[in-house]
């Protein structure tokens, strides 16, 4: 028999089945570079509404990790989708480049001897190091397909950025928000720096818990001798003890314990007695706290007599009701000390070692000092009880080491003075998810000051000069002058130039009669650096204030969102963002954080080079990123499956278009076959929901909707029935061209819709789309509704598709019962159960095609073997011969082909 294979119009496309993404994606990226598609897209949108989304700068140190990769991919999906919706959307990448981790990397990992270098020499090494890190990360981000202005990123170390930051600082100065004060603040001995509240995290710590006594000296009108019983978990602060506080209204008791008379809160007596194992507890006297105020006691370790004071923070819930006060080591202690004119004693240095003011403990680290203090108190008979407790204690969020409270001279920005404005602005912002508003509001509400000084080298200097008498000069004009110098020369001049050279020409002051000035040596908190990116990384580049969107991880409520809000409101009176979107963190398959020690770290570039950046991107677009997300091999397998489904369906559709030119062969919607019209109206619905989900950054919904359409509509239904049309019918048959028109429209819409998610793959496919309009798929716009809505058509097909599902089940059963082999061997007899179903079925002229069988009869008087909701079905073997060309079972001629095929062959030749 003759072979008719060559007469069929089999699918043909150069778009390969296998993506080989690891190898091919870099080629796509080179293609984008060559075409300059980022700039071309901007050019196309240049007269349109801008969409401003500045980059929250990652820290320039080390390789990118899966979390930063997810962050950048989300941003890229936003930039691409907004751009393709027509918004003028730029992406200017930025980096946070100052701060301790870079100093540490140099000294610890790169063997730099800090002490052998001048400040400026060391700062230059820091800058070189930061630039190298930026280059490494830049290449890694680009490998993920992130488009942006990579050649001109904003870096917080660039002179222009530093100058802009100074200008914002000048606004703070002008508003009177900057002040200097001695204050116990969170201090990290491991980082040797003050920490902002934002840099603190609470973790469990094991601490000594001690009960100890002070001998009363001045007992007022009470009969002595007696001892005050006190409790603390930080014995190393005892050398700084300058008072003990009681609460005025609390009842205290004088208890004869057998070892002497102890004073403690009455409500705690039985609890304490049990813990300390008193022989007896005879209450000799009672007194209100206010009656104890004014008594004094002797410090057991020093020749020092200190007072009993009234403390607003003393409660009777734990401890003894008497609280040890060290004004240099606690916020309440500091306030009470200040109210009572106590010295701010702080015998601990920046590395956490005791100073000579602590006497014999000099040189010991606080933990060691604690042990020694306890030992000495015990030896002197003042220790009642030592036990170890595990409690929640503040830690340095970077080093994960415990911090201490330590009084130091610091620079502060007042939050108190602008708090009302901040809270008003928080309420004006759209927070996604919405709980962000409460979180941010509470964070602002509870804050009075922002400690902005750091005792570091690698940072932006605080632009304050001191008079000869030590008084600081806070003058906005001088700061602006320094800002202009920084913009021109960079901030190293602060260390290189003389104070006079940094001050405006001819600057004089009565407070410096000899014309001498000193410069501040502290640097600004790095959160102040990145917090001013709305200027240095946004408006300085021509983007408008406020931004439409800030997006970062949910830890940035205390970080970047926070400092940006404060600096923005201070300078512009307005939040720097209209909306804030947060994403969660990436965990491993068991929900654990990733860490080197657990060995569960996923390197995003490894994934890109093995599976493909598009697979990683599709994973990001498949998870609910607003919560914490997980990544595992199993999930990546699922994502790869979805990817294959999408790729293969697109490939199949491209194959159906090998002889199709939309200009020449495309048909108007009204002339299309009803199945094709139905598919295009389904496509219209998809376009609308995809666009809506892109608007609200719900990428997982975009992926879900597209995958559902591709799987349920295109792959399981439409392409199935199209084979009989596109392969078999005559080339120019209107039914065939109608189908191809619809397939073309579907691919033409799917590729742009998928581009923000898997741009490499859609670009590759787009180049194989016959007569595509643009050089790159990224220059296409997001497709919009294009066809008239036809409710009746949709309802008719929805009903048919339900019936089709049942018919497919009947065919499957018949195959299992060996009644038929291939579905084309089948003859169907359908028995509709009601008139509506009968009418519906009769309205379709191509039921054989829709069900992929050789014959369909409709009979109303019988009952079929397979019963379903709206009909029953009989499946029998179709009598006749198999057409050698189309495989339909029917009457065939001498050549072995059916009448239809005979006609097709006459037309095609
Ligand atoms: Zn045939």
């Amino acid at each position: 028999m003759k072979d008719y294979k060559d007469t069929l119009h089999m699918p043909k496309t150069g778009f390969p089945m296998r993506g080989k993404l690891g190898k091919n994606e870099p080629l796509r990226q080179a293609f984008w570079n060559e075409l300059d598609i980022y700039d071309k897209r901007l050019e196309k949108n240049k007269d349109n509404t801008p969409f401003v989304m500045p980059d929250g700068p990652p820290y320039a140190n080390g390789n990118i990790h899966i979390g930063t990769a997810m962050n950048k991919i989300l941003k890229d999906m936003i930039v691409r989708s907004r751009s393709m919706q027509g918004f003028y959307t730029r992406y200017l990448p930025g980096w946070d480049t100052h701060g301790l981790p870079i100093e540490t990397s140099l000294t610890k990992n790169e063997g730099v001897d800090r002490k052998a270098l001048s400040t400026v020499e060391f700062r230059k090494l820091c800058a070189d190091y930061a630039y190298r890190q930026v280059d490494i990360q830049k290449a890694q981000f680009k490998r993920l397909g992130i488009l942006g202005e990579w050649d001109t990123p904003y870096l917080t170390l660039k002179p222009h950025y530093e100058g802009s930051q100074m200008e914002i600082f000048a606004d703070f100065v002008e508003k009177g928000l900057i002040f200097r004060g001695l204050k116990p603040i969170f201090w990290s001995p491991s980082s040797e720096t003050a920490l902002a509240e934002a840099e603190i995290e609470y973790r469990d710590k094991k601490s000594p818990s001690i009960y100890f006594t002070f001998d009363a000296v001045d007992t007022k009108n009470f009969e002595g001798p007696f001892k005050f019983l006190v409790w603390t978990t930080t014995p190393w602060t005892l050398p700084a003890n300058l008072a003990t506080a009681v609460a005025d209204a609390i009842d205290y008791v004088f208890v004869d314990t057998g070892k002497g008379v102890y004073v403690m809160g009455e409500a705690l007596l039985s609890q304490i007695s049990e813990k300390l194992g008193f022989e007896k507890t005879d209450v000799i006297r009672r007194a209100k706290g206010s009656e104890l105020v004014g008594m004094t006691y002797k410090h057991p370790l020093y020749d020092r007599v200190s007072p009993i004071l009234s403390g607003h923070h003393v409660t009777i819930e734990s401890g003894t009701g008497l609280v040890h006060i060290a004004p240099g080591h606690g916020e309440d202690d500091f306030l009470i000390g200040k109210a009572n004119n106590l010295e701010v004693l702080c015998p601990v240095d920046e590395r956490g070692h005791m100073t000579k003011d602590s006497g014999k403990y000099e040189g010991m680290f606080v933990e060691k000092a604690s042990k020694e203090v306890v030992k000495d108190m015990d030896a002197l008979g003042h220790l009642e009880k030592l036990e170890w407790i595990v409690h929640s204690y503040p830690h340095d969020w970077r080093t994960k080491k415990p911090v201490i409270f330590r009084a130091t001279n610091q620079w502060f920005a007042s939050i108190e003075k602008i708090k009302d404005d901040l809270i008003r602005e928080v309420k004006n912002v759209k927070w996604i998810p919405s709980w962000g508003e409460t979180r941010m509001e509470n964070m602002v509400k509870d804050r009075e000051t922002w400690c902005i000084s750091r005792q570091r080298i690698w940072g932006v200097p605080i632009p304050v000069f001191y008079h000869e008498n030590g008084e600081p000069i806070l003058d906005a004009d001088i700061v602006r002058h320094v800002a202009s110098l920084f913009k021109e020369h960079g901030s190293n001049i602060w260390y290189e130039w003389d104070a006079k050279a940094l001050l405006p020409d001819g600057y004089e002051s009565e407070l410096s009669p000899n014309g001498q000035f000193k410069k501040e040596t502290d640097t600004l908190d790095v959160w102040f650096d990145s917090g001013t990116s709305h200027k240095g990384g946004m408006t300085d580049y021509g983007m408008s204030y406020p931004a439409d969107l800030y997006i970062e991880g949910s830890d940035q409520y205390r970080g970047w969102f926070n400092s940006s809000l404060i600096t923005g409101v201070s300078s512009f009176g307005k939040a720097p963002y209209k909306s804030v979107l947060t994403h969660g963190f990436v965990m491993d398959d068991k929900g654990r954080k990733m860490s080197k020690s657990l060995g569960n770290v996923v390197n995003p570039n490894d994934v890109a080079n093995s599976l493909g950046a598009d697979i990683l991107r599709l994973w990001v677009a498949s998870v609910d990123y607003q919560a914490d997300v997980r990544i595992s091999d199993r999930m990546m397998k699922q994502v790869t499956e979805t990817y294959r489904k999408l790729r293969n369906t697109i490939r199949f559709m491209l194959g159906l278009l090998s002889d199709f030119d939309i200009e020449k062969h495309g048909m108007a919607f009204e002339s299309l076959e009803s199945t094709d019209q139905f598919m295009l109206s389904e496509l219209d619905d998809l376009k609308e929901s995809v666009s809506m989900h892109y608007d609200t950054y719900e990428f997982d919904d975009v992926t879900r909707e597209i995958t559902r359409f591709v799987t349920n509509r295109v792959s399981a239904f439409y392409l199935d029935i199209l084979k009989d049309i596109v392969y078999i019918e005559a080339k120019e048959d209107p039914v065939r061209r109608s189908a191809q028109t619809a397939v073309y429209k579907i691919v033409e819409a799917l590729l742009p819709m998928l581009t923000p998610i898997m741009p490499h793959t859609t670009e590759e496919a787009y180049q194989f789309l016959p007569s595509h309009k643009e050089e790159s798929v990224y220059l296409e716009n997001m497709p919009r509704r294009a066809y008239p809505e036809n409710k009746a058509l949709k309802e008719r097909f929805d009903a048919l598709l339900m019936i089709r599902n049942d018919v497919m089940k009947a065919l499957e059963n018949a195959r299992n019962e060996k009644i038929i082999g291939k579905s084309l061997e089948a003859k169907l007899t359908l028995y509709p159960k009601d008139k509506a179903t009968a009418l519906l079925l009769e309205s379709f002229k191509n039921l054989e095609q829709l069900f992929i069988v050789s014959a369909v009869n409709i009979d109303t008087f019988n009952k079929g073997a397979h019963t379903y909701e709206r009909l029953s079905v009989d499946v029998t073997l179709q009598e006749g011969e198999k057409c050698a060309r189309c495989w339909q079972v029917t009457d065939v001629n001498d050549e072995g082909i059916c009448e239809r095929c005979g006609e097709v062959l006459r037309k095609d030749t």
Side-chain angles (χ1 to χ4, degrees):
M1 201 180 288
K2 200 177 153 193
D3 185 2
Y4 289 96
K5 231 200 304 161
D6 292 346
T7 71
L8 295 175
H9 312 297
M10 296 304 285
K12 218 185 299 167
T13 177
F15 182 61
M17 179 130 75
R18 298 181 60 93
K20 293 186 182 148
L21 299 179
K23 193 179 116 240
N24 284 332
E25 284 172 346
L27 304 178
R28 298 286 98 67
Q29 290 160 7
F31 171 76
W32 295 336
N33 265 341
E34 212 171 289
L35 280 187
D36 208 0
I37 60 157
Y38 173 83
D39 282 339
K40 280 191 176 143
R41 180 76 241 187
L42 281 182
E43 179 64 21
K44 200 168 172 170
N45 292 350
K46 69 173 190 296
D47 299 324
N48 302 354
T49 312
F51 180 85
V52 179
M53 184 196 75
D55 194 18
Y59 193 71
N61 197 11
N63 294 320
I64 66 168
H65 54 81
I66 192 78
T68 30
M70 179 170 88
N71 173 284
K72 290 281 175 185
I73 289 172
L74 286 170
K75 286 172 183 165
D76 192 59
M77 295 199 293
I78 292 169
V79 170
R80 286 181 188 259
S81 56
R82 281 294 191 270
S83 293
M84 295 176 77
Q85 286 170 330
F87 292 94
Y88 182 77
T89 315
R90 292 173 58 186
Y91 182 58
L92 177 76
W95 271 277
D96 196 4
T97 53
H98 287 128
L100 181 68
I102 288 182
E103 292 185 28
T104 311
S105 285
L106 279 178
T107 51
K108 292 223 168 109
N109 307 334
E110 309 235 323
V112 170
D113 181 4
R114 167 70 192 93
K115 293 192 184 81
L117 300 167
S118 73
T119 298
V120 170
E121 282 167 337
F122 186 66
R123 283 173 56 95
K124 282 182 175 161
L125 288 181
C126 288
D128 287 346
Y129 179 84
Y131 272 112
R132 269 186 280 141
Q133 301 303 310
V134 166
D135 283 343
I136 292 169
Q137 295 190 358
K138 195 190 282 185
Q140 293 173 340
F141 286 137
K142 286 164 106 172
R143 177 61 190 87
L144 302 176
I146 319 291
L147 287 183
E149 297 167 34
W150 293 109
D151 295 336
T152 52
Y154 79 84
L155 308 182
T156 58
L157 59 71
K158 280 188 181 172
H160 200 276
Y161 191 98
E162 292 177 328
S164 287
Q165 183 178 338
M166 285 296 97
E167 286 167 3
I168 302 248
F169 187 80
D171 294 339
F172 273 81
V173 171
E174 197 159 67
K175 292 197 166 63
L177 300 178
I178 302 294
F179 64 95
R180 187 167 170 79
L182 188 70
K183 200 178 168 189
I185 47 161
F186 286 118
W187 182 273
S188 170
S190 50
S191 296
E192 294 182 37
T193 186
L195 291 180
E197 283 151 75
E199 295 168 309
I200 294 297
E201 58 185 31
Y202 281 81
R203 297 165 156 255
D204 280 350
K205 176 183 182 290
K206 194 176 159 202
S207 297
S209 157
I210 63 166
Y211 290 83
F212 60 96
T213 57
F214 287 136
D215 292 339
V217 177
D218 182 346
T219 60
K220 289 189 24 187
N221 53 344
F222 289 73
E223 194 187 323
F226 52 84
K227 299 162 184 280
F228 299 105
L229 185 65
V230 190
W231 173 74
T232 186
T233 56
T234 51
W236 60 268
T237 60
L238 280 187
N241 173 284
L242 295 179
T244 294
V246 293
D248 288 346
I250 288 177
D251 293 316
Y252 291 84
V253 282
F254 292 66
V255 183
D256 183 356
T257 64
K259 289 196 285 181
V261 177
Y262 291 19
V263 180
M264 67 196 83
E266 181 168 19
L268 290 159
L269 172 57
S270 63
Q271 197 184 315
I272 291 169
S273 162
E274 193 180 321
K275 188 174 284 252
L276 272 50
F278 292 147
E279 278 168 39
K280 55 178 186 173
T281 52
D282 299 344
V283 174
I284 295 168
R285 271 197 80 159
R286 290 189 163 73
K288 286 282 178 198
S290 52
E291 294 173 80
L292 304 180
V293 172
M295 293 181 178
T296 61
Y297 63 89
K298 190 193 163 292
H299 197 302
L301 304 172
Y302 303 95
D303 188 14
R304 191 157 80 209
V305 171
S306 300
I308 302 290
L309 299 173
S310 166
H312 61 273
H313 66 312
V314 179
T315 67
I316 198 70
E317 269 137 43
S318 60
T320 65
L322 290 98
V323 176
H324 137 66
I325 298 294
H329 294 301
E331 192 150 20
D332 292 318
D333 305 50
F334 175 77
L335 293 172
I336 291 164
K338 211 168 161 193
N340 291 282
N341 291 318
L342 298 183
E343 183 196 344
V344 182
L345 177 59
C346 177
V348 176
D349 72 10
E350 58 275 9
R351 290 180 305 133
H353 292 102
M354 306 301 285
T355 66
K356 69 175 188 315
D357 287 341
S358 70
K360 62 179 283 205
Y361 307 106
E362 183 179 1
M364 291 178 195
F365 189 64
V366 288
E367 302 273 349
K368 167 100 164 91
S370 270
K371 283 189 191 132
E372 292 301 311
V373 166
V374 171
K375 230 187 265 171
D376 291 346
M377 292 290 278
D378 194 18
L380 294 164
H382 284 273
L383 183 72
E384 289 298 326
K385 171 92 181 173
L386 162 68
E387 59 185 3
W388 292 88
I389 56 162
V390 173
H391 61 159
S392 175
Y393 188 87
H395 285 67
D396 183 329
W397 78 328
R398 285 200 207 277
T399 63
K400 314 291 181 205
K401 297 248 169 71
V403 302
I404 58 177
F405 250 100
R406 178 172 175 266
T408 50
N409 259 310
Q410 299 293 340
W411 286 101
F412 295 90
S414 168
I415 303 299
E416 200 60 50
K417 285 188 182 173
I418 53 170
K419 194 177 276 189
D420 291 346
D421 294 339
L422 292 171
I423 288 174
R424 182 199 66 227
E425 286 305 304
V426 168
K427 290 182 192 300
N428 282 339
V429 170
K430 179 178 166 62
W431 301 89
I432 315 166
S434 57
W435 48 256
E437 177 172 335
T438 316
R439 188 147 172 198
M440 195 56 149
E441 192 182 330
N442 287 339
M443 226 159 241
V444 171
K445 228 192 263 170
D446 295 344
R447 203 165 175 189
E448 283 172 22
T449 56
W450 173 9
C451 179
I452 54 167
S453 49
R454 295 292 182 272
Q455 290 64 53
R456 308 296 338 164
I457 298 160
W458 183 227
V460 176
I462 292 178
V464 170
F465 298 89
Y466 292 90
H467 287 117
E468 282 168 25
N469 66 356
E471 198 165 306
I473 306 171
L474 275 172
D475 178 329
D477 289 337
I478 292 178
V479 177
R480 290 200 178 99
H481 175 74
V482 172
S484 68
L485 293 178
F486 279 10
K487 279 194 175 177
E488 199 180 338
H489 307 283
S491 64
N492 272 346
I493 57 168
W494 187 259
Y495 304 92
E496 287 169 320
W497 294 11
D498 200 55
K500 283 209 95 165
L502 291 162
L503 281 159
D505 275 347
Y507 182 81
E508 282 176 40
S509 167
E510 284 171 12
L511 296 175
S512 284
N514 305 312
Q516 299 296 311
F517 299 93
K518 273 198 182 133
K519 295 173 284 184
E520 174 58 63
T521 55
D522 285 357
T523 56
L524 273 169
D525 178 8
V526 288
W527 290 112
F528 201 99
D529 292 15
S530 59
T532 61
S533 65
H534 49 71
K535 185 165 171 58
M538 197 169 99
T539 57
D540 281 357
Y541 286 78
M543 289 178 252
S544 58
Y545 186 102
D548 292 282
L549 180 71
Y550 270 40
I551 164 174
E552 285 307 320
S554 51
D555 54 338
Q556 297 302 325
Y557 288 101
R558 60 179 179 178
W560 190 55
F561 300 147
N562 206 312
S563 62
S564 298
L565 178 74
I566 295 166
T567 62
V569 167
S570 155
S571 280
F572 299 92
K574 216 168 156 188
Y577 35 70
K578 291 182 206 159
S579 53
V580 169
L581 171 63
T582 55
H583 60 76
F585 291 89
V586 184
M587 308 291 179
D588 73 3
D589 53 340
K590 296 192 182 70
R592 297 173 305 181
K593 278 188 177 177
M594 295 196 183
S595 72
K596 271 182 197 153
S597 53
L598 284 175
N600 58 355
V601 178
V602 176
N603 177 329
N605 279 88
D606 287 351
V607 177
N609 292 331
S610 56
L611 297 175
D614 276 4
I615 300 287
L616 191 65
R617 296 175 67 111
L618 187 58
W619 166 75
V620 173
S622 303
V623 294
D624 175 13
Y625 67 82
Q626 290 179 15
D628 286 349
V629 300
R630 294 182 183 195
I631 192 167
S632 64
D633 289 345
R634 192 177 52 82
M635 285 178 76
M636 292 317 271
K637 264 189 202 128
Q638 271 171 24
V639 171
T640 307
E641 242 350 274
T642 306
Y643 175 85
R644 277 202 198 115
K645 181 96 222 170
L646 293 170
R647 184 177 180 101
N648 285 340
T649 310
I650 288 166
R651 176 167 182 271
F652 194 85
M653 287 192 281
L654 287 173
L656 296 180
L657 299 171
S658 63
D659 66 343
F660 183 76
D661 181 336
I662 186 74
E663 298 297 330
K664 252 196 260 165
H665 310 118
M667 290 165 65
F669 181 80
E670 298 71 34
S671 321
L672 299 179
E673 296 294 311
S674 64
T675 314
D676 305 326
Q677 286 189 344
F678 166 69
M679 284 306 294
L680 291 187
S681 39
E682 290 284 281
L683 179 69
D684 258 3
D685 290 349
L686 176 71
K687 293 176 198 166
E688 193 169 289
S689 62
V690 162
S691 187
M692 198 183 75
H693 293 310
Y694 272 131
D695 281 348
T696 49
Y697 320 112
E698 288 156 326
F699 306 115
D700 53 340
D701 287 331
V702 171
T703 306
R704 201 171 302 125
E705 297 273 348
I706 292 181
T707 311
R708 194 183 295 154
F709 175 80
V710 165
T711 310
N712 297 351
R713 286 291 184 260
V714 179
S715 180
F717 165 64
Y718 193 46
L719 295 182
D720 237 12
I721 63 167
L722 279 194
K723 290 171 191 162
D724 189 59
I725 298 167
V726 180
Y727 298 3
I728 310 288
E729 295 292 358
K731 222 175 178 177
E732 300 297 340
D733 193 296
V735 172
R736 186 169 180 269
R737 291 306 192 196
S738 168
Q740 286 180 312
T741 304
V743 169
Y744 186 91
K745 296 289 180 189
I746 292 170
V747 189
E748 194 195 29
L750 276 181
L751 294 181
M753 283 194 272
L754 281 169
T755 293
I757 295 170
M758 32 193 268
H760 306 88
T761 304
T762 57
E763 187 68 273
E764 187 186 5
Y766 187 74
Q767 301 302 327
F768 291 105
L769 178 70
S771 57
H772 53 268
K773 292 197 301 285
E774 304 283 353
E775 289 173 290
S776 160
V777 67
Y778 186 48
L779 302 177
E780 289 275 2
N781 289 334
M782 271 301 158
R784 301 201 176 147
R785 270 196 178 279
Y787 313 108
E789 277 191 79
N790 187 340
K791 243 183 134 184
L793 177 79
K794 193 171 157 43
E795 281 169 6
R796 201 170 144 243
F797 268 90
D798 282 345
L800 176 83
L801 285 174
M802 281 172 62
I803 290 172
R804 189 177 185 268
N805 273 340
D806 293 338
V807 170
M808 291 294 142
K809 277 180 230 154
L811 285 168
E812 180 66 31
N813 287 340
R815 243 194 311 274
N816 292 340
E817 290 162 21
K818 310 264 191 252
I819 295 170
I820 55 163
K822 287 207 159 55
S823 113
L824 271 178
E825 293 167 22
K827 172 186 167 181
L828 289 174
T829 311
L830 308 178
Y831 308 99
K833 287 183 180 171
D834 54 60
K835 194 144 191 206
T837 308
L839 284 173
L840 176 78
L841 288 170
E842 276 159 21
S843 75
F844 284 95
K845 301 293 167 233
N846 56 341
L847 286 179
E848 287 86 356
Q849 260 172 1
L850 290 169
F851 298 150
I852 317 173
V853 294
S854 281
V856 179
N857 286 334
I858 299 172
D859 192 334
T860 37
F861 304 107
N862 236 319
K863 196 168 178 293
H866 308 278
T867 303
Y868 302 102
E869 199 188 328
R870 299 184 63 173
L871 79 171
S872 59
V873 180
D874 272 335
V875 182
T876 51
L877 201 62
Q878 165 75 344
E879 283 171 26
E881 277 182 75
K882 187 169 119 183
C883 167
R885 183 168 177 274
C886 72
W887 295 6
Q888 292 253 356
V889 177
T890 179
D891 294 334
V892 301
N893 63 13
D894 298 344
E895 309 273 287
I897 56 169
C898 70
E899 198 188 328
R900 172 192 176 207
C901 286
E903 206 171 309
V904 167
L905 289 183
R906 272 191 299 283
K907 280 188 194 163
D908 268 356
T909 45

